[in-house]
Amino acid sequence: MMKRERPPLANRQGQAGVAMLEVLVSVLLFSFGILGLIGLQARAVSFSVDAEDRNRAALLANEIASTMWITRSVTVDVSDGSSWQTRIADPSKDGLPGGEISVTTVSGTTNSADIEITWQAPSRGTNDPNKLRTRVVLPQ
């Protein structure tokens, strides 16, 4: 049986620290993965808040449309200071941040109106408001 000879001392010293380098590279890759997951989580929370705001806007527009159907009139007081404006602008009472509402009758008709709700989500820029627009057509 032959004895295996050890490599010369110079070759063994050249490989010293390779395991440490591999560990550092793996920690770096793991860190990038964790940062990516944190970014995805932040986006998911942002999309969730946006969906919740859109849902609230749709519910508020539905309530106004229901009021129109009950009164059989497309005229609803949504002027500044009205109960609708106050409710929509107050996020603590199921409203929207910076929420505003407008109801405009469709020209040429007496039984149609457009309901438009706008609000400013905190995550969006000030020049990029969210909008929800729906049309109500009452039977004649």
Side-chain angles (χ1 to χ4, degrees), residues 48-111:
S48 174
V49 169
D50 189 42
E52 183 181 349
D53 286 347
R54 288 191 179 282
N55 186 35
R56 261 189 272 150
L59 288 172
L60 290 165
N62 186 36
E63 285 186 43
I64 294 170
S66 296
T67 302
M68 290 178 177
W69 275 82
I70 290 170
T71 61
R72 297 198 179 272
S73 172
V74 293
T75 57
V76 176
D77 181 23
V78 292
S79 61
D80 287 339
S82 71
S83 62
W84 283 111
Q85 282 291 357
T86 306
R87 182 170 173 206
I88 287 176
D90 189 2
S92 67
K93 296 180 181 169
D94 294 331
L96 298 162
E100 293 180 6
I101 184 170
S102 66
V103 176
T104 55
T105 57
V106 177
S107 60
T109 65
T110 58
N111 64 338

Side-chain angles (χ1 to χ4, degrees), residues 24-38:
L24 288 173
V25 168
S26 64
V27 166
L28 179 70
L29 291 175
F30 181 75
S31 298
F32 280 133
I34 293 297
L35 285 174
L37 286 174
I38 290 170

